[in-house]
Amino acid sequence: KSLVAVESAPERASRAHLLESVRVFSIERAREQGTWDSCRRSHLQWVDEFTTRTVGPHGHDDCEVVDPLADLDREGNEIRAALEWTEGDPERSLTVCARLVNWWRGRDMAAYAIERFEELLRVSGALDPEVRGEALTTLVLMRRIAGFDAARTNELASDVRRLIDEMAEGSERDRLELRYYESAFDVGDMELPARVRAIIDRTQARGEPVDTLATHLLSAWLVANDPPSATSVAEEGLSLSQSATLARQAHAWEQNALAALAAGDLPRAQHFLEGALGRFEGIGQRFCSVHGCESVAWWLALQGLHDQSRALLAATEGLRARHHRYRSGFEEPAVVATIALLGERPDPDSYALLDTTIAAALDYIGDVTHRVGLGAGSED
């Protein structure tokens, strides 16, 4: 009792803590006796296993966890401590780091993740191509989120492309290629549809389940370039997502909403927007609410509710400025269409530093979404 403190909470299992003075003393003794590295390896192994259970082996919504980000938050100190140990197993650490892609961007830790990736890559020797490719694609995505030097980011993306081209054909190459297109998504890439469709065809030929990211990419590209074709691809993604996780289903609903908006089918758009926002809230991925609200703004603008749409856009622009969030190629088509309908772009700088204005706009989001039926979402 004099060495260990127990923390109890009704919503989670009890936690045991060493008193700080005891912990420091124990670490010193472990180093003196040569057991400290063994402790760190065991700790990293535990973090590896825990994150695999929580978000899946590749971290792209592969596990049916209701609120995976909350589970990661509870073990955040453990995760960071493991990833900051660079003398041990950089390959395993890089695998864990890449697996946490949604945690990094969902909790505004892109800059921290970039630091860990670059340090682990610096101290690592020869890496398995799949591990290196996964790490680099996630690093590219994080750099885009944080707005880091574009030239260097593009160099890294080119490195990933070369690495993929050198890999043997198979499911791992196809999976990594999809991650590459996600990290370097470009609505102007006219070869994207054919390449992604080829991945889908190869996956089905192998008798494997199709990664719903493939239809997500296709649908997002078509919304920007060929709206009439977007609906069928979005429906294909919705069908594939029925056997997938809640997160994959939420993204599929969002793509169907965007496709419906592009087609001008407002009732269908409302239905899928409501379902998408409710599902994102249900799984704790609140970072998706930013581009979800932008989709709502598009929907409102199409109905002529320009004041409401402006309020939503102003709030999301302010949130991006405050939290350093980026706008991906997936979100841009909806925002551009909204601005075109409004005839002007809200000035993000005028809202970025005005906390009271942002707070008022956010309150208005809740009021508007309640009045137009975009609240908790439906499960049917």
Side-chain angles (χ1 to χ4, degrees):
K1 291 182 179 179
S2 63
L3 298 178
V4 178
V6 177
E7 172 192 336
S8 299
E11 69 276 8
R12 61 178 185 270
S14 298
R15 304 291 298 262
H17 302 274
L18 284 177
L19 299 178
E20 183 65 14
S21 57
V22 176
R23 189 178 73 87
V24 172
F25 174 76
S26 300
I27 291 172
E28 290 175 352
R29 291 300 303 273
R31 284 175 171 152
E32 291 171 2
Q33 297 174 4
T35 59
W36 181 235
D37 285 351
S38 176
C39 291
R40 297 302 298 260
R41 278 191 294 273
S42 295
H43 183 247
L44 177 58
Q45 180 179 346
W46 180 87
V47 168
D48 187 3
E49 294 169 353
F50 164 73
T51 55
T52 299
R53 292 194 305 271
T54 305
V55 297
H58 301 296
H60 294 272
D61 308 319
D62 296 325
C63 282
E64 194 66 271
V65 178
V66 174
D67 193 347
L69 299 188
D71 288 354
L72 296 173
D73 290 341
R74 282 192 286 271
E75 304 296 348
N77 288 338
E78 305 298 333
I79 293 168
R80 285 184 287 269
L83 295 179
E84 287 166 11
W85 182 50
T86 57
E87 296 84 10
D89 187 347
E91 185 163 310
R92 172 172 267 180
S93 295
L94 281 169
T95 299
V96 173
C97 209
R99 183 180 299 146
L100 297 175
V101 54
N102 284 335
W103 191 52
W104 300 135
R105 59 183 175 179
R107 295 298 187 253
D108 298 319
M109 291 191 287
Y112 175 84
I114 291 167
E115 178 185 310
R116 300 318 315 139
F117 274 116
E118 293 183 344
E119 177 63 15
L120 289 166
L121 286 166
R122 184 184 68 80
V123 301
S124 62
L127 290 171
D128 179 87
E130 182 187 345
V131 172
R132 181 173 179 80
E134 191 87 45
L136 286 175
T137 52
T138 311
L139 174 57
V140 168
L141 182 59
M142 293 297 103
R143 288 180 65 92
R144 294 193 192 284
I145 289 172
F148 278 33
D149 176 44
R152 174 58 180 157
T153 302
N154 291 335
E155 288 178 7
L156 291 169
S158 297
D159 290 344
V160 176
R161 180 73 258 178
R162 284 192 294 271
L163 188 151
I164 292 171
D165 291 341
E166 293 170 359
M167 292 178 66
E169 293 186 0
S171 56
E172 291 304 325
R173 173 176 170 164
D174 288 343
R175 186 187 63 78
L176 186 57
E177 187 167 4
L178 286 177
R179 302 293 170 254
Y180 165 76
Y181 292 136
E182 179 189 27
S183 67
F185 185 79
D186 179 7
V187 294
D189 181 0
M190 304 309 291
E191 296 181 2
L192 181 76
R195 289 181 172 180
V196 173
R197 180 56 70 182
I199 292 174
I200 294 173
D201 292 342
R202 290 196 297 268
T203 302
Q204 292 176 327
R206 291 192 296 264
E208 299 171 355
V210 175
D211 190 335
T212 53
L213 176 59
T215 50
H216 185 86
L217 289 163
L218 269 181
S219 179
W221 190 92
L222 290 169
V223 163
N225 294 282
D226 185 11
S229 302
T231 298
S232 62
V233 173
E235 289 177 343
E236 181 183 2
L238 187 67
S239 176
L240 292 170
S241 74
Q242 297 309 306
S243 60
T245 63
L246 291 175
R248 296 299 182 94
Q249 292 174 28
H251 286 295
W253 278 64
E254 184 182 31
Q255 286 304 306
N256 273 268
L258 289 171
L261 287 168
D265 188 342
L266 301 185
R268 179 180 173 84
Q270 179 181 2
H271 172 71
F272 281 106
L273 279 172
E274 180 179 340
L277 290 175
R279 284 165 172 79
F280 282 132
E281 181 67 21
I283 59 177
Q285 289 195 6
R286 296 177 183 88
F287 64 94
C288 293
S289 64
V290 170
H291 55 82
C293 285
E294 287 172 343
S295 299
V296 175
W298 191 9
W299 180 74
L300 291 169
L302 283 169
Q303 297 182 94
L305 300 174
H306 292 176
D307 289 342
Q308 294 92 325
S309 185
R310 283 193 181 94
L312 291 174
L313 284 175
T316 55
E317 291 286 0
L319 284 173
R320 288 183 190 282
R322 293 177 70 199
H323 299 296
H324 309 290
R325 296 188 188 266
Y326 82 129
R327 177 174 292 117
S328 72
F330 299 122
E331 301 154 34
E332 191 67 33
V335 181
V336 169
T338 304
I339 293 165
L341 285 164
L342 294 175
E344 63 182 75
R345 181 186 180 94
D347 179 10
D349 295 334
S350 66
Y351 294 95
L353 302 177
L354 300 176
D355 288 346
T356 55
T357 302
I358 293 169
L362 287 173
D363 288 340
Y364 192 63
I365 288 176
D367 182 51
V368 170
T369 54
H370 174 73
R371 287 190 284 107
V372 300
L374 297 174
S378 62
E379 294 300 325
D380 60 358

